[in-house]
Amino acid sequence: MTGNLINGDWRKARLFGPIVGLTLGVLALLILTTAILVHRFDDTASAREQHMFERGFAQQLEELDKVVATQVDWDDAIVMMDHRRDAAWIDFNVGNYLHTFNGFTRSFVVDGDEKVFYASANGERAGLDLYAPFRPIAAQLLPRIRQAEKARPPLVLRPGKDNIVIPPIQGNTVTRIGDQTYIVIATLVQPDFGKALPKGARAPVTITALPIDARLLGIFAQRYQLDDLKLTAPDAKSNGRGNLVLRDLSGRPVASLVWTPRRPSAILSEQLLLPLLLMLGLLGLVAWTMVRRSGIVISDLIASEARAKHLAFHDPLTRLPNRAMLFERLHSLLATVGSDTSRLTVLCVDLDRFKEINDTLGHHAGDLVIEATANRLRTACAGAALIARLGGDEFVVLCSSGCCESAEMLGHRVLEALSRPIQSEYGRLEIGCSIGAVIIDRPGVEPTEALRWADLALYHSKQNGRGRLTFFEPRMDQALQGRRSLETDLRHALANDELFMVYQPQVDLAGNIHAAEALLRWSHPERGEVPPDVFVPLAEETGLILALGEFVMRRVFADTGSWTRLRVAINVSAEQMRSPGFAAAVARLAAEAEIDPSRYEIELTETALLSDEPVTAGNIGALKRLGFTFALDDFGTGYSSLSVLQRFSVDKIKIDRSFVSCLGDGGESEALVDAMVRLAKALHLRVIAEGVESEAQRERLASCGCNEFQGFLTGRPMGLREIVELAHESPGAAEAEIRKSA
Ligand code: C2E
Ligand code: MG
Ligand code: MG
C-alpha cells in the first residue's frame, strides 16, 4: 500500500514537476524581464536627468554672467567706476543691486593694475581686506579677461550714436572659501554707446561671488525638478545618486552637487504592480487548476492501474495470489534463504476428488469447492508468507521459518482442514487433498526448481494413495530423471521398431479359442522387456499414448486383418478416447487395412467412461456405428455405475483378475464375481474373466455363470505365429512376411 502511495506520489511529482517548473519558470522570466526593463528605464532616465542638469547648470552660469554684465557694461559704469571710482554708485548698481536681486554676497572692483578699490559684503560696503581670500581665484580669472580685453578691437568714442554692442568680456568659475562654495564671475567694465571710454588701456574688472547656498540649491531643485539636491565634498560617494562635480578653472574638483535621481520605475512599479499581481494570480490559478485536474486524472489512473495489477496478480475466483505473484514472492523469499538460519517451506496442495466433482456435478459445484478450499487454507495457514492458487485445483503455500510452526505440522493441518466434508447446496462434498512439500535451507535455489521439487513430492503423495503429505527427497528427482530417460527411450522405440504385439487367447466353456487380446510389448536393447504397466501410464502422462495407440491399431490390423475365425480385443486408453480425432483416425486405419470392424473389440477401463465427456461419448458412438464393440476392462476396480454401463451400451465386461485370483480364499470374491455375472446377464452383456490361472478358478467362474476365460491357464500372451497356429487362423500380411523370411 505504502509502496503504491510512494509510487503514485512519485508519478504525480513526475507529471506536476514540469507544470510547476514551467509555471515558476514563466513567473521568474516575467519578473526578470520586468526587473531588467525597469532597471534600464531607470538608467536611461538617470542619464537624461544628469545631462539636463549639467546643461542647466551651465546655462545658469551664463545667465548669471549676463546679470552681472548688464550692471557693469554701459557708459555710466565706465564713468562711475573707472573715471570717478564712485563707491556710492558702485554700491547701488553692483554691490547692493546684485545682492538684493540676485543673491551675490561679495562684490569687488579691481583697477587696471588689478588692485582692489571696492569691496561689498551682503550688499553693504566692506573693508578691502575682504578681497584677500578671493585673490587666488581672481588671479586665475583676470589674465583671461585681460587677454580678451587686449584682443578686443580698439574702442572709439561715438557721442550721440547708438549702442555699439560690445560683447561682454567675462569669465566664471567655482571656488571654495572657508566652508562656503561660490560661483565667482569676473566681468570687464565696458561702455555700451561709446560716450565714455576707459581711462587707460586696462579697464576695471568686477569680481562678484554668489554662494551656492540653500537658496540657490532651492532654485536649482525647483527649476530642474531635482529631489533632495545637496552640495557635498567632491569626493563624497554618490551611491547611485545624481552627481554633478563642480571644478575650478584648472579642472580641480571643488564640490559636488548631488541629488536623488528620479526613478520612473517606482511610478511604473506602482502602476504595474496591480496588473502584475493579477496576472501572477491568474497564472497561479491556471497552474493550480491544471495540477488539481491532473491530480484527479492521475489518481484515477493509479487506482485503475492498481486494479489491473491486482487482477494480473490475483485469481479472480478466490482472490488469492496467482502464479505470477507466486513466482515473484518465491523469488524474493528464496533470496533470503540460507543467509542466516532462515528456511522456506513450499507446500504444493492438490485436491484429490475435484475432477470427479467438477465432472459429475458441474462447474458451479467445482467453483464452490475451490472457494471453500481457499477459505480453509487461509485459516489453516494463517501465518504463511503466501497462499496462491496455481489454477485448477492446485494451491501453493509458502512459509518462512518463524511465521509457521514446523512444516510437518502445517502440512497435517492443511490435510485435516481439507479432509473435512464441504456442506453445500449439492450436499456433503468430500474432497481431500494430497500435499507435496519441500524445505529449502540453502541459497541459490531457483523458484522453478523449488516448485518442481514440491510437485514431485506431490506426485508421490498421489501415487501412494492420495490424502497424504510427502516431503521431497533427492531420490524422487532421480526417479523422475529415470522416467524422463524412459520416455526418451520410448519415443526412440516407436521410431525404431522395438515395439511389437503379442496375443493372448480367450476361450469359451469348451476351451475353444474364439478371440485374442492384443497386448503391447517393448523389448529394449539394454533394459530388456519393459512391462506395459510401466510404459503405458508413462505414455499416457506424456501424451505419447496417441502415437503409441496408432502404432497398436496399425500393427494389430496388419497382423489380424486376414483372420476369419478369431475376434480381436484391443486396449485403448482413456486419453485416446478423450482425443477429438480418435474415432476418425481409427476409421481411417481400418479402411486402409481393409478390416471388418465388427470383428474387433475395444477394451476400455472404467476411468475412461467415468468422465462424462462429450468427446469420449462421441468417439464411442462413432466407433460403434462403424461396427466396433466395447468391453469394460478391469471391471470391479473402478467406479462404474449401472447408469454408465447403460449409457455407453458396453457389450461386455471383463472381471478383473484381482477377483479371480482370490476365488477359493473363502472371502467375498465368489459373491462379488457372482454379483458381477448376474449384473451382466441382467443387462444382456457378455462376461469374461481375466487372469484365470487354475482349473479351480475356471470351474468356480463357470459355476457362477461366466462362460469366457482369459489367463495363463488357457494361454499366455504369445507371438503372432503361435496364436495363428494354435487357433488354426489364416496368417495376416505380417505373419505371411515372417513366414516368408523364415
Ligand atoms: P489388461 O488389458 O488388463 O491386460 C491383461 C493383463 O493381464 C496383461 O498384462 C496380461 O499379460 C495379464 N495376464 C493375462 N492372464 C494372466 C494371468 O493368468 N495371470 C496374471 N498374473 N496376469 C495375466 P500385460 O500384457 O502386462 O498388460 C498390462 C496392461 O497394460 C494391460 O492390462 C493393459 O491395461 C495395458 N496394455 C497392454 N497392451 C496395451 C495396449 O496395446 N494399449 C493400451 N492402451 N494398453 C495396453
Ligand atoms: Mg485388456
Ligand atoms: Mg484387464
Side-chain angles (χ1 to χ4, degrees):
M1 187 70 185
T2 317
N4 265 351
L5 274 180
I6 290 168
N7 200 17
D9 284 354
W10 176 76
R11 290 208 286 164
K12 276 187 187 176
R14 252 196 3 163
L15 195 94
F16 297 159
I19 296 176
V20 172
L22 198 73
T23 311
L24 290 180
V26 169
L27 284 180
L29 203 70
L30 207 71
I31 291 167
L32 195 75
T33 315
T34 313
I36 290 172
L37 280 178
V38 160
H39 191 70
R40 288 227 178 129
F41 206 51
D42 279 352
D43 280 357
T44 316
S46 292
R48 279 174 69 98
E49 197 175 56
Q50 177 87 19
H51 184 66
M52 261 175 64
F53 185 51
E54 270 174 26
R55 284 193 48 180
F57 190 75
Q59 266 176 9
Q60 194 72 37
L61 289 184
E62 278 173 27
E63 277 174 31
L64 285 170
D65 279 356
K66 272 188 198 142
V67 164
V68 178
T70 314
Q71 293 308 107
V72 300
D73 282 1
W74 55 313
D75 295 347
D76 283 9
I78 288 290
V79 174
M80 304 308 277
M81 291 173 79
D82 189 14
H83 298 186
R84 297 187 194 165
R85 294 199 181 180
D86 186 334
W89 187 94
I90 300 171
D91 277 346
F92 184 77
N93 288 287
V94 180
N96 190 263
Y97 183 92
L98 291 179
H99 173 70
T100 307
F101 294 105
N102 302 100
F104 285 82
T105 54
R106 298 285 184 271
S107 296
F108 305 99
V109 186
V110 296
D111 60 14
D113 300 327
E114 327 290 38
K115 274 201 185 123
V116 65
F117 65 89
Y118 174 86
S120 139
N122 303 322
E124 299 288 333
R125 185 106 43 89
L128 296 180
D129 51 347
L130 196 67
Y131 181 62
F134 289 89
R135 198 178 295 281
I137 194 69
Q140 282 184 18
L141 286 165
L142 285 168
R144 297 169 189 233
I145 301 288
R146 293 299 175 204
Q147 208 176 354
E149 184 183 28
K150 216 171 160 188
R152 179 184 64 188
L155 297 172
V156 187
L157 205 56
R158 305 162 65 128
K161 287 279 164 61
D162 289 339
N163 196 329
I164 52 173
V165 192
I166 299 164
I169 294 173
Q170 289 183 295
N172 64 40
T173 187
V174 180
T175 192
R176 188 154 185 87
I177 291 164
D179 54 1
Q180 182 65 60
T181 306
Y182 290 96
I183 296 167
V184 180
I185 303 166
T187 314
L188 183 69
V189 179
Q190 294 190 101
D192 53 353
F193 287 91
K195 286 182 187 151
L197 292 177
K199 276 193 305 188
R202 289 159 50 127
V205 175
T206 57
I207 308 289
T208 45
L210 179 73
I212 304 178
D213 55 8
R215 187 191 69 90
L216 193 66
L217 289 175
I219 292 170
F220 285 161
Q222 199 184 12
R223 186 180 284 188
Y224 300 104
Q225 301 202 332
L226 299 178
D227 287 336
D228 199 19
L229 180 67
K230 281 195 182 98
L231 189 75
T232 63
D235 56 349
K237 293 256 173 348
S238 65
N239 288 336
R241 307 185 70 199
N243 184 6
L244 175 62
V245 181
L246 306 179
R247 297 173 193 277
D248 65 13
L249 284 176
S250 57
R252 202 162 43 86
V254 176
S256 277
L257 283 170
V258 294
W259 68 94
T260 306
R262 302 202 121 216
R263 297 225 168 261
S265 62
I267 304 159
L268 199 72
S269 304
E270 268 171 36
Q271 303 289 324
L272 275 179
L273 191 66
L274 194 65
L276 202 71
L277 281 178
L278 278 175
M279 256 173 72
L280 292 184
L282 202 72
L283 207 66
L285 196 73
V286 169
W288 183 76
T289 314
M290 273 174 74
V291 166
R292 241 184 83 92
R293 283 265 171 97
S294 321
I296 294 168
V297 171
I298 288 181
S299 296
D300 283 357
L301 268 176
I302 290 169
S304 60
E305 197 197 77
R307 271 198 301 278
K309 217 172 182 179
H310 184 86
L311 283 177
F313 285 100
H314 288 81
D315 162 50
L317 179 64
T318 59
R319 295 181 314 284
L320 284 178
N322 64 8
R323 183 183 290 269
M325 186 142 170
L326 169 72
F327 270 83
E328 212 177 273
R329 201 67 212 285
L330 194 52
H331 196 273
S332 57
L333 285 172
L334 282 171
T336 65
V337 164
S339 51
D340 37 47
T341 53
S342 63
R343 310 183 323 160
L344 179 71
T345 303
V346 181
L347 297 188
C348 267
V349 182
D350 191 283
L351 300 185
D352 286 339
R353 279 174 291 280
F354 175 71
K355 191 162 166 29
E356 291 167 36
I357 289 169
N358 213 29
D359 288 347
T360 51
L361 300 175
H363 293 298
H364 182 244
D367 284 357
L368 284 181
V369 167
I370 293 297
E371 278 182 86
T373 304
N375 290 335
R376 287 184 185 186
L377 282 176
R378 282 189 182 101
T379 316
C381 313
L386 188 88
I387 306 167
R389 183 187 175 202
L390 283 194
D393 58 348
E394 272 183 89
F395 296 84
V396 171
V397 179
L398 302 182
C399 210
S400 306
S401 46
C403 72
C404 302
E405 65 285 67
S406 78
E408 186 131 18
M409 280 167 77
L410 178 74
H412 281 293
R413 228 188 17 245
V414 172
L415 273 182
E416 190 276 323
L418 299 186
S419 67
R420 276 182 278 125
I422 295 169
Q423 298 294 346
S424 77
E425 59 198 79
Y426 300 92
R428 273 165 63 97
L429 302 175
E430 309 257 358
I431 30 166
C433 70
S434 302
I435 303 176
V438 62
I439 296 171
I440 312 288
D441 54 4
R442 63 175 171 87
V445 176
E446 289 296 316
T448 43
E449 210 172 4
L451 281 177
R452 192 174 65 81
W453 289 338
D455 210 44
L456 256 176
L458 172 66
Y459 175 79
H460 279 258
S461 280
K462 294 250 175 207
Q463 289 290 104
N464 295 326
R466 305 180 169 196
R468 63 184 65 220
L469 165 71
T470 310
F471 278 88
F472 170 76
E473 290 165 29
R475 65 172 176 80
M476 295 176 181
D477 211 10
Q478 287 152 16
L480 180 77
Q481 301 304 336
R483 275 156 45 79
R484 291 242 169 92
S485 91
L486 191 67
E487 184 194 335
T488 315
D489 284 0
L490 183 56
R491 285 180 196 279
H492 185 264
L494 250 175
N496 291 282
D497 228 18
E498 287 171 18
L499 299 166
F500 58 96
M501 305 308 298
V502 291
Y503 297 89
Q504 186 173 28
Q506 294 180 345
V507 301
D508 59 17
L509 267 177
N512 296 321
I513 302 172
H514 66 278
E517 181 180 5
L519 294 163
L520 185 58
R521 291 291 177 265
W522 178 13
S523 182
H524 188 277
E526 282 146 31
R527 296 177 194 268
E529 298 294 319
V530 185
D533 285 335
V534 172
F535 71 83
V536 169
L538 179 72
E540 285 173 343
E541 274 172 39
T542 56
L544 209 58
I545 191 68
L546 295 181
L548 204 67
E550 184 168 333
F551 166 83
V552 169
M553 287 281 173
R554 204 184 282 282
R555 176 51 53 90
V556 172
F557 290 162
D559 284 350
T560 63
S562 59
W563 288 2
T564 51
R565 281 191 49 249
L566 300 191
R567 289 174 54 76
V568 182
I570 305 174
N571 292 287
V572 168
S573 288
E575 315 300 323
Q576 289 171 272
M577 292 310 294
R578 269 188 226 124
S579 163
F582 179 67
V586 173
R588 181 172 46 78
L589 292 172
E592 277 170 18
E594 297 176 353
I595 54 103
D596 170 13
S598 65
R599 289 189 34 256
Y600 290 85
E601 190 154 67
I602 291 173
E603 290 193 8
L604 289 177
T605 56
E606 289 165 304
T607 43
L609 301 184
L610 195 71
S611 61
D612 186 13
E613 285 186 36
V615 181
T616 302
N619 278 330
I620 293 176
L623 291 169
K624 279 184 93 72
R625 282 193 293 280
L626 282 172
F628 289 97
T629 57
F630 280 84
L632 203 53
D633 207 352
D634 307 339
F635 188 76
T637 57
Y639 299 90
S640 335
S641 61
L642 275 177
S643 66
V644 170
L645 290 177
Q646 279 178 315
R647 189 163 63 239
F648 292 106
S649 52
V650 185
D651 305 279
K652 183 178 181 181
I653 57 170
K654 280 187 92 171
I655 297 172
D656 190 66
R657 71 168 180 268
S658 57
F659 300 101
V660 178
S661 64
C662 296
L663 281 176
D665 287 1
E668 295 173 327
S669 292
E670 203 154 334
L672 282 170
V673 168
D674 194 50
M676 285 185 230
V677 175
R678 280 169 192 273
L679 175 72
K681 295 260 152 94
L683 293 170
H684 306 291
L685 304 178
R686 285 162 41 223
V687 195
I688 183 169
E690 64 180 342
V692 185
E693 293 181 350
S694 67
E695 189 57 42
Q697 287 168 346
R698 198 188 72 87
E699 276 172 17
R700 280 178 193 272
L701 286 162
S703 68
C704 288
C706 177
N707 47 16
E708 292 182 32
F709 312 95
Q710 179 183 345
F712 295 167
L713 177 70
T714 52
R716 288 184 175 256
M718 58 191 78
L720 179 61
R721 190 185 303 184
E722 286 89 338
I723 189 85
V724 166
E725 280 175 3
L726 188 70
H728 307 292
E729 247 315 344
S730 41
E735 170 60 10
E737 277 296 309
I738 297 167
R739 286 191 181 182
K740 238 191 249 170
S741 62

